[in-house]
Amino acid sequence: MEGPSPNQSQPPCQPWAVQNGWSSDPPAGPLPHLQQLSLGSAPNRNLSCNHLQASGVSSKSGIAAFSIRNSARHSMQYACNDNQVVQQSVPDARVLSPTVQERNIRPCSFPYNEATQPFNPQQIPHYSSPNPYQAADPSFYSQHTYRSLLNQPQSPVQNPLPVSPACVEPQLNHSQPPASDGGSSGSFVGCNEALLASPSAPMQQQPLWSVAALSKESMNEFVPTTSALDHNLTPQSPNSESRYGLNPELLPSAVKVMAEDRAEWEGKVFISEHFSRLPPLATTSCVMEDRGNVSPLAIRSVTYCVPCDGQAALLSRLPLGALVTPFIKQNACEPIPLCKDVDCVVGCRWCGASMCPAMGWQDCGQRFYCPFCGKLNEVPWQHYQPTKGVEGARVDKDKRPELSMGSYEILNSEKGEPAALLLAIDVSASALRGGHLEFVAQQIHTLLTSLVREEGDASSGRRVGLMTYDSRIHLYDLSPDLSRPHMLVIAETEDLQLPVREGLLVSLKDCLESIGSVLQLIPQFGAECCDSSGLPIELPVKAGLAVLQGLKCPGKLLIFHTAALIETGHTNSSSGFFGTNKPKSIFQPSEKAISLAKECILQGCGVHMFVLSQQDVGGAWPGHIPFLTGGALHTYSYLQGELDRECFSTDLKQIVETDTGYKAELRIFVSNDLRVSGCYGMFLPGSNPGHITMATLDWRTTLAVELAHSKALDETRGAAIQVVLSYTSQTGERRIRVHTLTLRCSRHLQDTFRNYQAETLLTFYCKKMYCAVLERPLQELREELQTDVTEALASYRKHCCSSSVSAGQLVLPQFLRALPVYVNSLRKSEVLLPGLRSSVHQRLHQRCRVLALDTRSTVRHFYPLLLPLLPSVDSSSPPHTQGALRCTGSSLDSRGLYLVHAPFTVLLWVGTQVPASTLVELFNVSCFSSLPSGETNLPALENRLSASVRSFISSLSSEVPYARKLVVVKQGDTCEEALQRHLVEDKSPNGGASYADFLYHLHVNSVRLLL
């Protein structure tokens, strides 16, 4: 939003601040009001300056500090390392005097359409109406309690050891232009100095600065290079500019954080031992070795040093919990060890926890202490072995995976029915008119044939069924004894009764020929009824569920639907909206969908729906049941185009071949002094957040578990988390997979802060907020995110800083440098901040797909990879992800090609000045104007550039859960808005604030909280 010119009168400050969601109440302490900070003033104003006196605070490690200066003679100073603080404070930061009450300087705020209520941390209801994903909390700290704890004197146990700051020698380039006569020098976070003579004044060039070199192994500085500040090649995008004059290039970079972690861990082995240290980031490829503690691929703790008591956890203002991916893909080099249930040492008989290395052995191995309930257990005589050594480990520890491994699997002796694959095809009038059924039938038959060829004799254990439907259900008897398949028609769909059960599900190897004959006849069916009013969503689901229930087996139900969808029965979104006080949300599924999903969960039926037609805007959304049962929703446009057909084939193959667990039951055990307060993910919540049931799950299924203190933890014992997954395999085996994580505890708050990771917090916040949209307003959730991060920065500033810092310095924990940009991207996502061009169905679909993602894919969704493609032309190496750039418009050069990689999107941006030879080699066009934009396939040309780019895109597509269409975006084209939504550091098209502005607000409000 542009400010008024100097000759225009401005509205009063308070209403403007209120409508932008920021508090305008003056603070009680000496810190100036937001509008008193030097945000730039109108010309011809005489402003006096007062010194701001900052209180001394202390820290132990991991500090990133940025200083605000209003003088051209001072530079920003930043340095951080793991072992000691490298920072100096300059105590002469200045702010504008509060004596001028009548000036018309606007307070800092977000764009007008992102919030409509004042920002006041004390008024945000963090504990609202009961959430189905959370447990009832009988005792919790109020906001007033937190504020009193934050402002109380620091306790001795939280005082870190004194740290001597190392010498920092700023080096300035004094060649910057002089200040404008019409304005005053401003002070900003993250830059040395900037002058805003008026809201429309041009940006002044930032002086270069650097930090004196320290020891090579300990220095982890944030020092921009000359190339980072050179904007001659790439002009600043209007959306990249900060309204407060901050240079985005000088702010903490998520790309740099990933690069530093990759340089440290890529190609190395992370050994997960007892009381594990901080692991590599989820986006870093690294070999994980299990030595008694679970791999972070299965359980990734939000912090790897748990505060000992609830008061310290409350002071940090960051959540406690873990991200759980229980059905992780097994590594071929180091598979999860398997043992039989009769051979395993029995776990705790009091709480039901499984045996693990966290159990403490006593009395020479006759008893063991359970850390999850705090009770002693007698060891059965048949499993007894003596202990040895000071640590009291059993002599057979290395021979038993349950005693030595963080992850292992138990095979039960009893075996159930193998999982089935049931195909349901819509043969209504609209489906037959669409002309795509022949292609669908051909792809299904090709896939089944390949399964028989690849699996060989193992395909005899996979059972397959087929049915078609319009307003009636058509079942097929595929018994190999019959000369040809028999069709069974069920006209009464309200109360489905199976006429026969034999032959409905048959071994794939025995029924492939029968299925092929039916698939050939399906496109020739005649329309027997009119479907102008549409078909109920529940019809094919109920029919498929009845087949699985009749044969008492789990399975996948694949529905290929074309007709318009209608939703029968009561829906939460349409009836009684004004007749009840219960909050309504567009994200809430109907009661009928929830009831049918519960039946699918009990049976282990995962629903995957392929919608083959473009549905009407006002129609029912069919995705609730598929996503709640561990399946997914895939949409196409009648499969007429080549891109749609390729995506359909890829999605179909991936769903059928993905290893899946059925009838899954997840139990979460935590240390006796902790409790599970909430669990968030794509599932139907129950009464106990520590006990979850799911119809199906795969290796990407990730849940966020939130923990809380019930009493103080023992620092010597630490904390433990165990996840026990009971599921049925494809072959019908009942298995139990056990993951156990042990964590250190500390009474020092700084130890907790420096063991958080921004990527883990982003995934945790995402799952929690996306589950909370069912019950709470979106604006309230956005404000809560902002408040939590603001108060966390204030707490770290007060309790964890080792040297005196001025109020103009932004202080961040080392491993949370990327947290502000991640949280800002989450806040302005389409789910929490809808845009004008985002439909309800698109937002529903995006929420469910993101909730089902793992940590790595979630980070890629909220901070996509922006990869330059042209630099690899002059070298023999193909494009790679290590050259990623910041997600901002200023990273784009009109002479380059850039690829944007996200889980659901892949974009290729083409600049206007790309050489004609490059266009010919990659697109087979000779000029920029002839290049088509939109969804396309790159032509397969015989040259190195074309081959390397196509191979690179193919390798990236293998990492994502869905098939994607390549979208070519030309610079200056109307479809460039699709790219702008992925440039998350800029202002977003839906009105979200830029990263620079959001970081400025976080800093200003965190300082205000300390008064």
Side-chain angles (χ1 to χ4, degrees):
M1 179 181 292
E2 295 294 330
S5 62
N7 297 329
Q8 290 177 329
S9 61
Q10 297 184 1
C13 291
Q14 174 145 354
W16 196 90
V18 168
Q19 76 172 6
N20 284 276
W22 295 94
S23 173
S24 58
D25 300 331
L31 188 72
H33 183 262
L34 293 180
Q35 68 181 18
Q36 296 165 6
L37 290 173
S38 51
L39 308 180
S41 59
N44 304 324
R45 296 285 183 184
N46 296 323
L47 302 177
S48 61
C49 295
N50 289 341
H51 287 280
L52 177 65
Q53 197 70 20
S55 60
V57 285
S58 55
S59 166
K60 187 168 182 177
S61 70
I63 291 185
F66 301 83
S67 64
I68 299 177
R69 296 290 176 266
N70 66 343
S71 170
R73 296 184 179 89
H74 296 94
S75 69
M76 173 176 62
Q77 300 173 6
Y78 169 100
C80 65
N81 60 54
D82 289 332
N83 303 317
Q84 65 176 8
V85 171
V86 185
Q87 171 188 324
Q88 270 208 339
S89 173
V90 182
D92 59 348
R94 301 171 186 271
V95 294
L96 298 184
S97 170
T99 59
V100 184
Q101 301 295 337
E102 65 277 9
R103 64 191 179 284
N104 293 323
I105 301 176
R106 290 182 172 183
C108 57
S109 70
F110 279 135
Y112 71 96
N113 58 344
E114 188 169 355
T116 58
Q117 295 297 328
F119 169 76
N120 190 338
Q122 294 184 358
Q123 295 177 357
I124 294 180
H126 291 275
Y127 301 90
S128 60
S129 57
N131 189 330
Y133 293 88
Q134 291 180 320
D137 188 2
S139 60
F140 55 84
Y141 293 101
S142 67
Q143 283 293 310
H144 298 286
T145 305
Y146 168 74
R147 293 293 296 274
S148 63
L149 289 172
L150 185 63
N151 294 305
Q152 72 182 7
Q154 193 170 348
S155 62
V157 296
Q158 293 170 344
N159 249 342
L161 296 175
V163 179
S164 300
C167 177
V168 179
E169 299 176 0
Q171 300 173 358
L172 290 176
N173 181 355
H174 297 285
S175 61
Q176 74 254 20
S180 170
D181 294 336
S184 63
S185 169
S187 59
F188 302 96
V189 176
C191 63
N192 306 327
E193 55 84 27
L195 303 178
L196 293 181
S198 68
S200 59
M203 294 289 296
Q204 304 297 322
Q205 184 174 353
Q206 308 291 335
L208 302 181
W209 56 269
S210 63
V211 181
L214 299 175
S215 61
K216 183 176 180 180
E217 60 272 9
S218 63
M219 185 64 182
N220 188 12
E221 72 279 6
F222 178 78
V223 182
T225 61
T226 305
S227 60
L229 298 175
D230 186 5
H231 301 290
N232 296 326
L233 296 178
T234 306
Q236 281 277 1
S237 168
N239 290 330
S240 304
E241 296 178 358
S242 169
R243 66 195 315 169
Y244 308 119
L246 306 187
N247 187 348
E249 297 291 342
L250 300 181
L251 302 182
S253 169
V255 173
K256 183 176 180 181
V257 171
M258 296 180 193
E260 291 173 352
D261 191 76
R262 185 168 54 247
E264 180 181 357
W265 286 107
E266 194 166 40
K268 300 179 181 178
V269 178
F270 173 78
I271 299 176
S272 184
E273 297 178 309
H274 189 58
F275 288 167
S276 180
R277 56 178 173 152
L278 199 65
L281 296 177
T283 52
T284 300
S285 298
C286 177
V287 178
M288 306 292 180
E289 185 175 335
D290 183 350
R291 290 191 184 175
N293 222 15
V294 68
S295 164
L297 299 177
I299 302 180
R300 184 175 289 270
S301 179
V302 175
T303 177
Y304 277 78
C305 184
V306 182
C308 285
D309 55 83
Q311 181 177 354
L314 182 67
L315 275 177
S316 72
R317 205 52 190 153
L318 292 175
L320 292 179
L323 301 177
V324 178
T325 310
F327 201 69
I328 56 171
K329 185 184 296 184
Q330 298 204 34
N331 188 356
C333 300
E334 188 180 357
I336 297 178
L338 178 66
C339 55
K340 296 182 179 181
D341 55 351
V342 294
D343 298 332
C344 287
V345 180
V346 180
C348 180
R349 64 185 180 90
W350 301 100
C351 64
S354 299
M355 180 56 62
C356 64
M359 302 292 186
W361 297 96
Q362 299 180 6
D363 298 337
C364 297
Q366 298 183 44
R367 298 177 184 82
F368 65 87
Y369 171 82
C370 176
F372 306 106
C373 62
K375 296 182 179 180
L376 290 175
N377 289 262
E378 298 286 342
V379 178
W381 63 268
Q382 59 268 31
H383 292 155
Y384 169 76
Q385 287 291 335
T387 58
K388 63 177 181 178
V390 180
E391 297 180 356
R394 285 180 36 141
V395 295
D396 61 343
K397 174 183 177 181
D398 297 333
K399 299 179 181 179
R400 290 184 175 273
E402 68 269 25
L403 302 180
S404 59
M405 303 292 289
S407 296
Y408 68 96
E409 202 163 53
I410 303 173
L411 176 62
N412 286 350
S413 54
E414 56 184 39
K415 188 174 181 180
E417 291 290 332
L421 178 64
L422 186 58
L423 309 170
I425 303 176
D426 179 7
V427 293
S428 60
S430 58
L432 295 172
R433 290 193 302 265
H436 56 271
L437 286 182
E438 182 177 357
F439 174 77
V440 172
Q442 178 186 356
Q443 290 299 311
I444 293 175
H445 187 261
T446 302
L447 177 61
L448 296 180
T449 303
S450 66
L451 288 178
V452 172
R453 183 172 57 253
E454 293 172 1
E455 297 179 358
D457 295 336
S459 62
S460 58
R462 184 190 293 267
R463 296 191 295 175
V464 180
L466 178 66
M467 71 177 186
T468 56
Y469 66 94
D470 43 23
S471 60
R472 302 174 299 176
I473 303 297
H474 314 137
L475 301 177
Y476 296 90
D477 188 346
L478 304 174
S479 299
D481 299 334
L482 300 176
S483 58
R484 59 180 182 177
H486 291 178
M487 176 190 286
L488 309 171
V489 180
I490 302 177
E492 181 57 46
T493 59
E494 289 297 326
D495 186 16
L496 280 172
Q497 299 291 335
L498 297 181
V500 295
R501 297 181 181 180
E502 296 295 330
L504 297 182
L505 293 177
V506 182
S507 169
L508 175 58
K509 192 174 182 179
D510 297 332
C511 70
L512 182 60
E513 184 177 349
S514 299
I515 290 180
S517 62
V518 176
L519 291 175
Q520 288 181 353
L521 294 175
I522 284 178
Q524 305 174 14
F525 280 12
E528 299 182 4
C529 60
C530 178
D531 59 350
S532 58
S533 59
L535 295 177
I537 296 176
E538 301 85 4
L539 178 61
V541 179
K542 289 171 61 178
L545 182 60
V547 173
L548 296 178
Q549 288 175 339
L551 297 175
K552 299 180 180 179
C553 67
K556 294 178 183 177
L557 173 60
L558 276 58
I559 302 174
F560 305 90
H561 190 86
T562 304
L565 290 166
I566 59 175
E567 196 166 14
T568 60
H570 171 71
T571 61
N572 289 339
S573 57
S574 59
S575 54
F577 191 91
F578 298 101
T580 176
N581 292 328
K582 184 179 180 180
K584 301 298 178 182
S585 170
I586 61 170
F587 300 101
Q588 289 178 345
S590 66
E591 295 178 0
K592 195 165 187 177
I594 293 177
S595 175
L596 193 55
K598 289 181 178 179
E599 293 185 43
C600 292
I601 291 172
L602 290 176
Q603 189 59 36
C605 172
V607 180
H608 297 262
M609 181 169 283
F610 298 81
V611 178
L612 307 177
S613 63
Q614 204 69 31
Q615 296 294 316
D616 295 334
V617 176
W621 188 64
H624 290 299
I625 296 176
F627 281 108
L628 289 175
T629 57
L633 173 68
H634 306 269
T635 57
Y636 312 91
S637 180
Y638 290 103
L639 299 178
Q640 299 301 320
E642 180 183 354
L643 291 176
D644 263 356
R645 295 194 170 197
E646 289 181 0
C647 290
F648 174 81
S649 301
T650 304
D651 288 334
L652 178 61
K653 182 178 181 180
Q654 188 168 350
I655 289 173
V656 174
E657 295 182 351
T658 298
D659 190 18
T660 306
Y662 302 88
K663 302 184 74 172
E665 184 178 352
L666 192 70
R667 297 189 66 188
I668 303 169
F669 302 91
V670 294
S671 294
N672 188 36
D673 302 326
L674 298 174
R675 60 181 176 85
V676 178
S677 59
C679 192
Y680 314 102
M682 201 63 252
F683 60 91
L684 272 178
S687 57
N688 181 8
H691 188 188
I692 300 160
T693 56
M694 293 176 283
T696 60
L697 82 167
D698 58 27
W699 64 274
R700 295 184 185 274
T701 305
T702 302
L703 312 177
V705 180
E706 188 170 19
L707 306 179
H709 285 81
S710 55
K711 56 183 179 179
L713 288 165
D714 186 351
E715 193 169 3
T716 59
R717 290 185 180 272
I721 303 173
Q722 185 178 92
V723 175
V724 179
L725 172 67
S726 177
Y727 70 97
T728 300
S729 67
Q730 175 68 44
T731 57
E733 296 174 337
R734 194 66 184 172
R735 298 191 174 199
I736 299 175
R737 187 172 293 188
V738 182
H739 304 290
T740 307
L741 175 67
T742 57
L743 301 168
R744 294 185 297 110
C745 293
S746 176
R747 299 185 182 277
H748 301 283
L749 193 59
Q750 65 270 20
D751 292 337
T752 300
F753 268 108
R754 66 182 179 184
N755 281 278
Y756 277 98
Q757 287 179 329
E759 290 185 356
T760 311
L761 279 173
L762 167 65
T763 309
F764 183 91
Y765 280 135
C766 168
K767 294 187 181 298
K768 182 176 181 179
M769 293 300 150
Y770 277 21
C771 288
V773 297
L774 299 176
E775 302 290 338
R776 299 172 58 186
L778 301 182
Q779 177 185 331
E780 182 180 302
L781 297 177
R782 295 197 303 270
E783 290 176 349
E784 180 178 325
L785 273 173
Q786 173 191 319
T787 304
D788 284 350
V789 179
T790 301
E791 293 177 346
L793 295 184
S795 177
Y796 184 77
R797 188 183 190 91
K798 178 177 178 62
H799 299 281
C800 301
C801 290
S802 64
S803 58
S804 178
V805 294
S806 68
Q809 288 179 299
L810 170 66
V811 184
L812 291 169
Q814 177 184 354
F815 298 111
L816 297 184
R817 286 174 291 166
L819 184 61
V821 68
Y822 288 156
V823 171
N824 187 44
S825 179
L826 173 59
R827 290 180 72 256
K828 61 183 182 181
S829 62
E830 293 289 338
V831 176
L832 298 183
L833 186 64
L836 295 177
R837 301 192 181 186
S838 59
S839 67
V840 173
H841 286 191
Q842 290 173 343
R843 295 174 63 206
L844 288 168
H845 200 186
Q846 184 182 109
R847 171 189 173 267
C848 292
R849 291 203 296 181
V850 173
L851 270 176
L853 293 178
D854 58 348
T855 307
R856 181 187 180 96
S857 299
T858 301
V859 176
R860 291 281 184 256
H861 175 75
F862 289 103
Y863 200 94
L865 284 179
L866 179 61
L867 305 166
L869 298 182
L870 280 188
S872 63
V873 178
D874 300 330
S875 62
S876 58
S877 61
H880 53 80
T881 59
Q882 296 182 4
L885 304 175
R886 300 182 68 157
C887 290
T888 174
S890 60
S891 299
L892 303 177
D893 189 344
S894 59
R895 296 172 296 181
L897 292 169
Y898 298 88
L899 189 72
V900 177
H901 166 62
F904 314 126
T905 311
V906 56
L907 304 175
L908 181 57
W909 186 84
V910 185
T912 55
Q913 300 179 24
V914 173
S917 59
T918 302
L919 296 178
V920 173
E921 291 181 2
L922 192 58
F923 302 102
N924 201 21
V925 296
S926 57
C927 62
F928 181 79
S929 58
S930 303
L931 177 66
S933 61
E935 298 176 352
T936 185
N937 263 339
L938 292 179
L941 304 177
E942 296 183 0
N943 60 76
R944 183 164 53 85
L945 176 62
S946 176
S948 62
V949 170
R950 287 184 288 108
S951 175
F952 183 54
I953 294 176
S954 177
S955 64
L956 292 177
S957 298
S958 63
E959 301 175 359
V960 298
Y962 300 93
R964 305 174 300 178
K965 301 176 186 176
L966 176 65
V967 180
V968 174
V969 179
K970 297 169 60 177
Q971 183 179 4
D973 198 70
T974 54
C975 64
E976 204 169 17
E977 183 179 332
L979 173 69
Q980 294 173 0
R981 288 197 294 266
H982 293 83
L983 300 178
V984 296
E985 293 196 19
D986 297 344
K987 299 173 184 176
S988 58
N990 62 350
S994 68
Y995 166 42
D997 292 345
F998 180 70
L999 183 62
Y1000 181 85
H1001 291 301
L1002 288 182
H1003 168 68
V1004 171
N1005 285 280
S1006 64
V1007 174
R1008 295 183 66 204
L1009 284 177
L1010 297 178
L1011 301 179

